[in-house]
Amino acid sequence: MAPRRNVQFQHRGHSSGLDRRRESFSDISEAASESGSPTFKNGKSGESANGEPELPPLSEYEKKKQTFVTRTIWTFVMIFIFFAAMFAGHLYVIAIVTAVQVVSFKEVIAIANVPSRARRLKFTKSLNWYFLATTMYFLYGESVIYYFKHIVLVDIVLLPLATHHRFISFMLYIFGFVFFVASLQKGHYRFQFTQFAWTHMALYLIVVQAHFIMNNIFEGMIWFFLPVSLVITNDIFAYIVGITFGRTQLIKLSPKKTVEGFVGAWVCTVFFGVAMTNVLMRHSYFICPVNDLGANLWTGLECMPNPVFIPHTYHLPIWFPMYRTFTIAPMQFHILVFATFASLIAPFGGFFASGLKRTFKIKDFGESIPGHGGITDRMDCQFIMGFFAYMYYQSFIAVHKASVGGVIETVITGLTPEEQLEVVRGLSKYLFNQGVVSEKALECLNVALRRR
């Protein structure tokens, strides 16, 4: 008998019988729903499997109301976690920033991981996480070595790691690079190189920028809190002013954004920034750099304030008839720049994210926060704002002077052991002449140095 063509049996073919049964069930349910007839379950219409009446589907109003309630609840949850961490200490804020950058990286990479699974490429996901770990090791190490040289460089275990940190980080990256090249498969070259570029874009836009946000925390809590609060404030007022006065569309990537909301939010953000800065400048916990990771709002921090926080008297031009001088802290001028960037430039980080989502035809980057979408959906403007805050602070505000860690690094890396001992002798003699070190302590130190 000749074989029959174009005939498919339910238990044969490319898919399993279970898959075909699932398809038939879904087809039946879709057909029932399309015909407008009630869903049949357990042989009775409008009843669930246990015989109870089935609830009618939610209306559009109820869905929006439910989403609004969920979004509001989680907004207050995030606000509580944020302030609790900030008051508990810098270490807790660093932990939150770390979690945010890891989850954001995961959400962005997940967009491209689906095709790699479909192509059965085994090591794509593993390489993504390896490059993330390598990048974080390099960036975290740079921050720890820079801000805690006085601790790292005097430890016998940490000293080699600190001295050769950049070389170690480079070799870790090279191992990943070599493994990537070795994992290339014929027929998938274009796709794998696209994934490689996608991973490095995510590392730069998320992990590297989050690194500078972490450095802002070390420089002082105000340099972390102000940029974050300015972006949030601008987002809130852009929504309020936009729905109240908005008429002109701002950009096609975000149809709901209006010029009126954009400009109105700028004005409101400036006023908020000036008022908030005036409050934060009064507390050393916010303006002092981190010298104790165990500090919190109640223990506080002690430091010499940056001159930018000290009120200064300015003389007005002669053509001002009523006032000749006025006194204000220079920080109030700097906050105008911060608020302007948060209002006019940082939103383009959100527009970039919107364009990315439209490219991949997704609504949100993930579902990490109920009612809000993914972490990346909430942090898209924060990354670029934090990066700007660090660059502006280092360029126009930071006071560059010798630090204990910097001096120790110079002595350890630039002098021989004999020269280092000479520095100790000279420094101890100076401290004795200043009355800081007693004569007995000086003698004990000299004896210990001679024994060497």
Side-chain angles (χ1 to χ4, degrees), residues 153-169:
L153 296 179
V154 298
D155 189 280
I156 190 173
V157 176
L158 298 178
L159 177 59
L161 295 175
T163 305
H164 308 295
H165 172 71
R166 293 183 178 179
F167 180 77
I168 296 172
S169 301

Side-chain angles (χ1 to χ4, degrees), residues 281-336:
M281 287 192 306
R282 304 172 187 271
H283 303 279
S284 60
Y285 177 71
F286 286 94
I287 66 175
C288 286
V290 179
N291 51 34
D292 179 14
L293 285 175
N296 54 51
L297 183 66
W298 294 271
T299 61
L301 290 169
E302 297 295 333
C303 66
M304 286 291 294
N306 189 306
V308 78
F309 299 117
I310 300 175
H312 180 73
T313 300
Y314 295 90
H315 297 274
L316 295 173
I318 193 171
W319 42 269
F320 273 81
M322 298 181 60
Y323 300 98
R324 293 287 183 266
T325 63
F326 71 98
T327 302
I328 191 174
M331 182 59 192
Q332 295 288 15
F333 295 118
H334 292 295
I335 197 59
L336 300 179

Side-chain angles (χ1 to χ4, degrees), residues 48 84 182 192 244 251 262 265 276 289 322 388 391 421 424 438:
S48 59
Q192 287 182 289
T244 306
I251 189 170
F262 196 66
M276 182 58 66
M322 298 181 60
F388 167 79
M391 293 301 177
L421 290 174
V424 174
S438 64

Side-chain angles (χ1 to χ4, degrees), residues 416-430:
T416 63
E418 289 73 17
E419 291 173 331
Q420 293 170 6
L421 290 174
E422 190 62 31
V423 170
V424 174
R425 293 190 189 95
L427 186 59
S428 59
K429 186 175 181 180
Y430 168 79

